Amino acid sequence: MSDRILSGMRPTGKLHLGHLLGALENWKKFQGKDTFFMIADWHAFSSEYDSGSPVRGYVNDVLIDYLASGLDPAKCTIFVQSHVPEHAELDLLFSMITPLGWLSRNPTYKEQIRELKDKELHTHGFLGYPVLQAADILLYKANKVPVGEDQLPHLELTREIARRFNSMYKEIFPEPEAILTDVPRLPGTDGRKMSKSYNNAIYLSDSPETVDKKVKEMITDPARKRRNDKGHPEVCSIFYYQKLFNPGAVAEIDKTCRSGELGCVDCKKALSEKLRQFLAPVYEKRCELEKDRSAVESIIEEGDKKARWIAAKTFEEAKQAAGL
Ligand code: TRP
Protein backbone atom coordinates (compact mmCIF):
# COMPACT_ATOMS: atom_id res chain seq x y z
CA MET A 1 0.00 0.00 0.00
CA SER A 2 1.27 3.48 -0.73
CA ASP A 3 1.87 5.95 2.06
CA ARG A 4 -0.76 8.20 3.48
CA ILE A 5 0.66 11.21 5.28
CA LEU A 6 -1.06 13.38 7.86
CA SER A 7 0.06 16.15 10.15
CA GLY A 8 -1.39 19.16 11.89
CA MET A 9 -0.78 22.20 14.04
CA ARG A 10 -2.68 23.75 16.87
CA PRO A 11 -4.06 27.19 16.02
CA THR A 12 -2.99 29.12 19.11
CA GLY A 13 -1.74 32.18 17.23
CA LYS A 14 -0.28 33.31 13.96
CA LEU A 15 2.56 31.18 12.65
CA HIS A 16 6.17 32.33 12.84
CA LEU A 17 9.52 31.59 11.26
CA GLY A 18 10.02 28.66 13.64
CA HIS A 19 6.89 26.97 12.27
CA LEU A 20 7.94 27.69 8.71
CA LEU A 21 11.40 26.14 9.03
CA GLY A 22 10.48 23.47 11.57
CA ALA A 23 7.32 22.13 9.97
CA LEU A 24 5.87 23.76 6.87
CA GLU A 25 9.00 23.61 4.71
CA ASN A 26 9.14 19.92 5.50
CA TRP A 27 5.44 19.31 4.89
CA LYS A 28 5.76 20.87 1.46
CA LYS A 29 8.06 18.05 0.42
CA PHE A 30 5.23 15.53 0.85
CA GLN A 31 2.77 17.38 -1.33
CA GLY A 32 1.53 15.58 -4.38
CA LYS A 33 1.35 12.34 -2.43
CA ASP A 34 -1.68 11.19 -0.48
CA THR A 35 -1.34 14.00 2.04
CA PHE A 36 -3.54 15.63 4.68
CA PHE A 37 -2.76 18.77 6.69
CA MET A 38 -5.06 19.62 9.52
CA ILE A 39 -5.72 22.63 11.68
CA ALA A 40 -6.17 21.04 15.10
CA ASP A 41 -8.60 23.48 16.67
CA TRP A 42 -9.92 21.02 19.27
CA HIS A 43 -6.36 20.51 20.43
CA ALA A 44 -5.83 24.26 20.68
CA PHE A 45 -9.01 24.52 22.68
CA SER A 46 -7.78 21.94 25.19
CA SER A 47 -5.40 24.54 26.60
CA GLU A 48 -6.92 27.81 25.33
CA TYR A 49 -10.50 27.23 26.45
CA ASP A 50 -10.50 30.24 28.75
CA SER A 51 -7.79 32.41 27.22
CA GLY A 52 -10.22 35.04 25.92
CA SER A 53 -8.63 34.80 22.48
CA PRO A 54 -11.03 32.83 20.34
CA VAL A 55 -9.50 29.80 18.66
CA ARG A 56 -11.78 30.43 15.70
CA GLY A 57 -9.88 33.56 14.67
CA TYR A 58 -6.60 31.69 14.83
CA VAL A 59 -7.96 28.94 12.59
CA ASN A 60 -8.32 31.51 9.89
CA ASP A 61 -4.84 32.97 10.48
CA VAL A 62 -3.22 29.56 10.40
CA LEU A 63 -5.07 28.59 7.25
CA ILE A 64 -3.78 31.71 5.52
CA ASP A 65 -0.29 31.02 6.88
CA TYR A 66 -0.44 27.45 5.52
CA LEU A 67 -1.43 28.66 2.07
CA ALA A 68 1.01 31.58 2.01
CA SER A 69 3.85 29.22 2.93
CA GLY A 70 3.15 27.19 -0.17
CA LEU A 71 0.80 24.40 0.88
CA ASP A 72 -1.15 23.92 -2.31
CA PRO A 73 -4.75 22.67 -2.06
CA ALA A 74 -4.38 21.11 -5.49
CA LYS A 75 -1.69 18.82 -4.07
CA CYS A 76 -2.86 18.13 -0.53
CA THR A 77 -6.02 18.14 1.56
CA ILE A 78 -6.20 21.01 4.05
CA PHE A 79 -8.99 20.82 6.60
CA VAL A 80 -10.16 21.91 10.05
CA GLN A 81 -10.41 19.22 12.72
CA SER A 82 -13.67 20.40 14.28
CA HIS A 83 -15.35 20.59 10.88
CA VAL A 84 -15.10 16.81 10.68
CA PRO A 85 -17.20 15.57 13.60
CA GLU A 86 -15.81 12.02 13.35
CA HIS A 87 -12.62 13.24 15.10
CA ALA A 88 -14.60 13.84 18.27
CA GLU A 89 -16.54 10.61 17.82
CA LEU A 90 -13.53 8.36 17.30
CA ASP A 91 -11.85 10.16 20.20
CA LEU A 92 -14.75 9.10 22.39
CA LEU A 93 -14.62 5.52 21.19
CA PHE A 94 -10.84 5.36 21.77
CA SER A 95 -11.24 6.95 25.18
CA MET A 96 -13.24 3.89 26.24
CA ILE A 97 -10.36 1.52 25.52
CA THR A 98 -7.44 3.69 26.67
CA PRO A 99 -6.19 2.93 30.19
CA LEU A 100 -5.66 6.04 32.30
CA GLY A 101 -2.10 5.02 33.16
CA TRP A 102 -1.04 5.37 29.52
CA LEU A 103 -2.12 9.01 29.63
CA SER A 104 -0.85 10.09 33.02
CA ARG A 105 2.59 8.58 32.34
CA ASN A 106 2.98 10.49 29.05
CA PRO A 107 6.15 12.65 29.36
CA THR A 108 4.82 15.41 27.10
CA TYR A 109 1.77 15.71 29.33
CA LYS A 110 3.86 15.93 32.47
CA GLU A 111 6.13 18.52 30.93
CA GLN A 112 3.26 20.71 29.77
CA ILE A 113 1.55 20.63 33.13
CA ARG A 114 4.86 21.76 34.63
CA GLU A 115 5.56 24.46 32.06
CA LEU A 116 2.17 26.06 31.56
CA LYS A 117 1.62 26.85 35.20
CA ASP A 118 -0.65 29.82 34.56
CA LYS A 119 -3.24 27.55 32.94
CA GLU A 120 -5.61 25.12 34.59
CA LEU A 121 -4.73 21.99 32.65
CA HIS A 122 -5.89 19.36 35.11
CA THR A 123 -8.85 18.61 32.91
CA HIS A 124 -10.27 15.48 31.38
CA GLY A 125 -9.81 16.96 27.90
CA PHE A 126 -6.17 17.84 28.36
CA LEU A 127 -5.27 14.45 29.76
CA GLY A 128 -6.98 12.93 26.74
CA TYR A 129 -5.06 15.09 24.25
CA PRO A 130 -3.15 12.12 22.77
CA VAL A 131 -6.33 10.06 22.40
CA LEU A 132 -7.74 12.77 20.16
CA GLN A 133 -4.45 12.86 18.28
CA ALA A 134 -4.69 9.10 17.74
CA ALA A 135 -8.18 9.63 16.34
CA ASP A 136 -6.85 12.36 14.01
CA ILE A 137 -4.28 10.04 12.55
CA LEU A 138 -6.16 6.75 12.51
CA LEU A 139 -9.38 8.15 11.01
CA TYR A 140 -7.39 8.55 7.80
CA LYS A 141 -5.39 5.36 8.34
CA ALA A 142 -2.30 7.50 7.90
CA ASN A 143 0.94 5.53 8.25
CA LYS A 144 3.43 8.43 8.14
CA VAL A 145 3.24 11.48 10.38
CA PRO A 146 5.79 14.29 9.92
CA VAL A 147 6.28 15.90 13.33
CA GLY A 148 8.89 17.28 15.70
CA GLU A 149 10.58 15.22 18.34
CA ASP A 150 8.29 16.49 21.10
CA GLN A 151 5.45 14.54 19.45
CA LEU A 152 7.07 11.11 19.71
CA PRO A 153 5.26 10.10 22.92
CA HIS A 154 1.95 10.95 21.21
CA LEU A 155 2.84 8.82 18.23
CA GLU A 156 3.76 5.95 20.53
CA LEU A 157 0.36 6.20 22.20
CA THR A 158 -1.32 6.28 18.80
CA ARG A 159 0.36 2.99 17.97
CA GLU A 160 -0.64 1.50 21.31
CA ILE A 161 -4.25 2.52 20.84
CA ALA A 162 -4.26 1.12 17.29
CA ARG A 163 -2.77 -2.14 18.54
CA ARG A 164 -5.29 -2.44 21.33
CA PHE A 165 -8.21 -1.74 19.04
CA ASN A 166 -6.95 -4.16 16.40
CA SER A 167 -6.43 -6.99 18.85
CA MET A 168 -9.63 -6.40 20.80
CA TYR A 169 -11.98 -6.06 17.82
CA LYS A 170 -10.64 -6.31 14.31
CA GLU A 171 -7.51 -5.44 12.36
CA ILE A 172 -8.47 -2.03 10.99
CA PHE A 173 -5.77 0.47 11.80
CA PRO A 174 -2.16 0.76 10.65
CA GLU A 175 0.50 1.57 13.24
CA PRO A 176 1.78 4.95 12.08
CA GLU A 177 5.39 6.10 12.20
CA ALA A 178 6.77 9.55 12.84
CA ILE A 179 8.85 11.21 10.17
CA LEU A 180 11.19 13.44 12.16
CA THR A 181 12.28 16.81 10.89
CA ASP A 182 15.87 17.50 11.78
CA VAL A 183 15.59 21.25 12.11
CA PRO A 184 17.28 22.77 15.12
CA ARG A 185 15.08 24.88 17.33
CA LEU A 186 15.11 28.40 15.97
CA PRO A 187 16.04 31.01 18.57
CA GLY A 188 13.72 33.96 18.95
CA THR A 189 14.82 37.59 18.94
CA ASP A 190 15.92 37.30 22.58
CA GLY A 191 17.92 34.10 22.10
CA ARG A 192 15.37 31.82 23.79
CA LYS A 193 13.30 29.35 21.76
CA MET A 194 11.01 31.22 19.35
CA SER A 195 7.53 31.22 20.80
CA LYS A 196 4.45 33.39 20.93
CA SER A 197 4.44 33.21 24.71
CA TYR A 198 7.97 34.66 24.95
CA ASN A 199 7.05 37.54 22.69
CA ASN A 200 10.21 36.96 20.64
CA ALA A 201 8.83 35.68 17.34
CA ILE A 202 9.13 36.85 13.75
CA TYR A 203 5.73 36.19 12.22
CA LEU A 204 4.92 35.25 8.63
CA SER A 205 2.47 38.14 8.79
CA ASP A 206 5.16 40.68 9.78
CA SER A 207 5.77 43.35 7.16
CA PRO A 208 9.33 43.77 5.85
CA GLU A 209 9.64 46.91 8.02
CA THR A 210 8.64 44.97 11.11
CA VAL A 211 11.13 42.21 10.28
CA ASP A 212 13.87 44.88 9.98
CA LYS A 213 12.91 46.37 13.29
CA LYS A 214 12.89 42.98 15.04
CA VAL A 215 16.29 42.08 13.63
CA LYS A 216 17.68 45.44 14.79
CA GLU A 217 16.51 44.71 18.30
CA MET A 218 17.91 41.19 18.40
CA ILE A 219 20.36 40.42 21.14
CA THR A 220 23.91 39.71 19.96
CA ASP A 221 27.06 38.72 21.81
CA PRO A 222 26.66 40.37 25.23
CA ALA A 223 30.45 40.65 25.60
CA ARG A 224 30.56 43.05 22.66
CA LYS A 225 29.95 46.45 24.14
CA ARG A 226 31.83 48.63 21.70
CA ARG A 227 31.90 48.54 17.92
CA ASN A 228 35.45 47.23 17.73
CA ASP A 229 35.24 44.63 20.49
CA LYS A 230 36.02 41.13 19.31
CA GLY A 231 32.88 39.02 18.81
CA HIS A 232 31.97 35.42 19.61
CA PRO A 233 29.68 34.20 16.83
CA GLU A 234 28.98 30.91 18.59
CA VAL A 235 26.88 32.66 21.25
CA CYS A 236 25.13 35.09 18.87
CA SER A 237 21.58 34.50 17.56
CA ILE A 238 22.26 36.75 14.57
CA PHE A 239 25.09 34.46 13.58
CA TYR A 240 22.84 31.44 13.95
CA TYR A 241 20.42 33.11 11.55
CA GLN A 242 23.22 34.01 9.14
CA LYS A 243 24.03 30.32 8.88
CA LEU A 244 20.46 29.58 7.85
CA PHE A 245 19.66 32.55 5.64
CA ASN A 246 23.00 33.80 4.43
CA PRO A 247 25.15 30.66 4.18
CA GLY A 248 27.42 32.03 1.45
CA ALA A 249 28.73 34.80 3.71
CA VAL A 250 29.10 32.84 6.92
CA ALA A 251 32.85 32.18 6.73
CA GLU A 252 33.56 35.85 6.15
CA ILE A 253 31.19 36.97 8.92
CA ASP A 254 32.75 34.50 11.33
CA LYS A 255 36.20 35.88 10.62
CA THR A 256 35.39 39.61 10.65
CA CYS A 257 33.17 39.33 13.73
CA ARG A 258 35.94 37.63 15.69
CA SER A 259 38.48 40.21 14.64
CA GLY A 260 36.14 43.06 15.50
CA GLU A 261 36.08 44.41 11.94
CA LEU A 262 32.41 43.67 11.37
CA GLY A 263 30.07 45.55 13.71
CA CYS A 264 26.72 44.16 14.86
CA VAL A 265 24.76 46.89 13.08
CA ASP A 266 26.22 46.00 9.70
CA CYS A 267 25.90 42.31 10.39
CA LYS A 268 22.22 42.79 11.19
CA LYS A 269 21.70 44.82 8.03
CA ALA A 270 23.08 41.99 5.93
CA LEU A 271 20.82 39.50 7.68
CA SER A 272 17.73 41.69 7.31
CA GLU A 273 18.30 41.84 3.60
CA LYS A 274 18.42 38.04 3.32
CA LEU A 275 15.51 37.48 5.64
CA ARG A 276 13.39 39.90 3.64
CA GLN A 277 14.20 38.03 0.46
CA PHE A 278 13.25 34.78 2.10
CA LEU A 279 10.01 36.03 3.61
CA ALA A 280 8.83 38.40 0.85
CA PRO A 281 6.99 35.80 -1.26
CA VAL A 282 5.21 34.44 1.81
CA TYR A 283 4.25 37.93 2.96
CA GLU A 284 3.00 38.96 -0.46
CA LYS A 285 0.93 35.82 -0.88
CA ARG A 286 -0.47 36.38 2.59
CA CYS A 287 -1.59 39.92 1.73
CA GLU A 288 -3.32 38.63 -1.42
CA LEU A 289 -5.13 35.90 0.51
CA GLU A 290 -6.24 38.36 3.20
CA LYS A 291 -8.05 40.26 0.45
CA ASP A 292 -9.72 37.20 -1.00
CA ARG A 293 -11.50 35.64 1.94
CA SER A 294 -14.07 33.84 -0.15
CA ALA A 295 -11.37 31.95 -2.05
CA VAL A 296 -9.84 30.90 1.26
CA GLU A 297 -13.22 29.80 2.51
CA SER A 298 -13.89 27.62 -0.49
CA ILE A 299 -10.48 25.98 -0.12
CA ILE A 300 -11.34 24.91 3.38
CA GLU A 301 -14.84 23.77 2.42
CA GLU A 302 -13.36 21.59 -0.27
CA GLY A 303 -10.74 20.16 2.10
CA ASP A 304 -13.29 19.51 4.84
CA LYS A 305 -15.47 17.64 2.37
CA LYS A 306 -12.67 15.36 1.20
CA ALA A 307 -11.54 14.68 4.76
CA ARG A 308 -15.05 13.98 5.94
CA TRP A 309 -15.71 11.50 3.19
CA ILE A 310 -12.81 9.32 4.36
CA ALA A 311 -13.35 9.93 8.07
CA ALA A 312 -17.00 8.87 7.91
CA LYS A 313 -16.10 5.59 6.22
CA THR A 314 -13.41 4.73 8.76
CA PHE A 315 -15.56 5.65 11.70
CA GLU A 316 -18.38 3.46 10.46
CA GLU A 317 -15.94 0.60 10.04
CA ALA A 318 -14.62 1.13 13.59
CA LYS A 319 -18.10 1.22 15.07
CA GLN A 320 -19.04 -1.97 13.30
CA ALA A 321 -15.88 -3.69 14.46
CA ALA A 322 -16.44 -2.61 18.05
CA GLY A 323 -20.05 -3.79 17.88
CA LEU A 324 -21.41 -0.36 18.58
N1 TRP B 1 -0.06 17.73 18.89
C1 TRP B 1 0.44 18.32 17.67
C2 TRP B 1 1.33 19.52 18.06
O1 TRP B 1 1.18 20.09 19.10
C3 TRP B 1 -0.66 18.80 16.77
C4 TRP B 1 -1.48 17.65 16.26
C5 TRP B 1 -2.77 17.39 16.56
C6 TRP B 1 -1.05 16.65 15.34
N2 TRP B 1 -3.21 16.30 15.90
C7 TRP B 1 -2.18 15.80 15.14
C8 TRP B 1 0.15 16.39 14.69
C9 TRP B 1 -2.09 14.69 14.31
C10 TRP B 1 0.24 15.27 13.86
C11 TRP B 1 -0.89 14.42 13.68
O2 TRP B 1 2.16 19.91 17.27
Side-chain angles (χ1 to χ4, degrees):
M1 223 178 65
S2 66
D3 287 337
R4 172 164 287 165
I5 294 146
L6 178 139
S7 195
M9 276 188 215
R10 305 183 320 130
T12 55
K14 293 186 175 188
L15 301 187
H16 53 60
L17 205 50
H19 297 116
L20 183 58
L21 297 186
L24 292 162
E25 286 291 336
N26 188 44
W27 289 8
K28 272 157 61 179
K29 297 186 200 138
F30 299 107
Q31 294 198 102
K33 300 196 182 143
D34 190 6
T35 313
F36 292 76
F37 296 118
M38 181 182 67
I39 299 179
D41 55 348
W42 273 121
H43 277 115
F45 200 70
S46 74
S47 59
E48 305 302 307
Y49 60 89
D50 72 344
S51 70
S53 47
V55 168
R56 187 177 285 213
Y58 290 141
V59 169
N60 203 31
D61 289 332
V62 169
L63 174 59
I64 290 181
D65 285 330
Y66 275 9
L67 297 170
S69 309
L71 291 192
D72 177 353
K75 296 188 196 149
C76 62
T77 303
I78 302 172
F79 70 98
V80 179
Q81 185 185 37
S82 75
H83 297 181
V84 181
E86 286 81 4
H87 287 252
E89 290 189 274
L90 189 62
D91 169 54
L92 185 59
L93 201 171
F94 283 167
S95 75
M96 306 301 176
I97 67 164
T98 306
L100 274 178
W102 290 7
L103 301 173
S104 52
R105 274 199 300 272
N106 174 2
T108 307
Y109 173 73
K110 290 201 261 184
E111 185 190 309
Q112 297 227 299
I113 292 274
R114 241 182 290 123
E115 270 187 16
L116 306 172
K117 276 198 208 70
D118 52 330
K119 295 203 167 110
E120 170 53 295
L121 294 179
H122 290 99
T123 60
H124 178 189
F126 195 71
L127 181 67
Y129 185 111
V131 182
L132 178 59
Q133 187 157 339
D136 296 339
I137 297 166
L138 298 176
L139 261 184
Y140 302 90
K141 301 189 180 177
N143 61 331
K144 296 268 158 74
V145 185
V147 282
E149 217 172 0
D150 62 316
Q151 296 297 307
L152 289 181
H154 293 159
L155 258 288
E156 188 53 43
L157 266 167
T158 300
R159 281 193 293 276
E160 278 173 311
I161 292 172
R163 225 174 287 142
R164 190 165 168 95
F165 186 102
N166 289 344
S167 71
M168 207 181 254
Y169 306 120
K170 188 175 166 207
E171 195 73 32
I172 290 187
F173 296 114
E175 288 183 30
E177 279 170 46
I179 307 177
L180 282 183
T181 346
D182 61 354
V183 187
R185 283 197 171 175
L186 191 71
T189 51
D190 60 356
R192 294 189 286 172
K193 176 187 170 227
M194 187 176 284
S195 157
K196 177 182 89 155
S197 42
Y198 293 153
N199 204 8
N200 66 359
I202 295 175
Y203 291 97
L204 306 186
S205 47
D206 283 343
S207 68
E209 296 72 36
T210 308
V211 173
D212 271 354
K213 188 164 162 288
K214 288 186 173 175
V215 170
K216 270 200 194 112
E217 288 166 1
M218 271 172 82
I219 293 167
T220 56
D221 174 5
R224 250 194 126 173
K225 302 228 165 50
R226 262 158 285 132
R227 163 72 176 74
N228 298 328
D229 286 347
K230 291 186 180 358
H232 307 86
E234 64 279 3
V235 301
C236 179
S237 305
I238 295 284
F239 186 71
Y240 189 95
Y241 275 62
Q242 297 280 24
K243 285 193 275 189
L244 294 171
F245 299 102
N246 196 8
V250 161
E252 184 65 19
I253 292 170
D254 185 79
K255 199 171 109 221
T256 50
C257 169
R258 285 182 200 284
S259 68
E261 281 164 81
L262 176 67
C264 295
V265 173
D266 288 333
C267 183
K268 285 177 169 181
K269 263 193 205 135
L271 174 65
S272 261
E273 191 58 39
K274 292 291 176 182
L275 209 49
R276 269 173 183 248
Q277 277 170 23
F278 181 77
L279 285 173
V282 179
Y283 182 70
E284 280 158 26
K285 182 90 193 283
R286 220 186 172 282
C287 293
E288 261 171 50
L289 290 162
E290 287 278 12
K291 279 189 235 135
D292 198 355
R293 291 275 167 171
S294 68
V296 173
E297 216 135 281
S298 58
I299 288 171
I300 210 66
E301 272 171 28
E302 198 57 37
D304 290 344
K305 219 186 335 174
K306 276 202 246 168
R308 193 151 187 204
W309 192 75
I310 297 169
K313 277 216 297 214
T314 310
F315 184 62
E316 190 49 44
E317 205 185 341
K319 256 170 92 177
Q320 288 273 349
L324 190 64

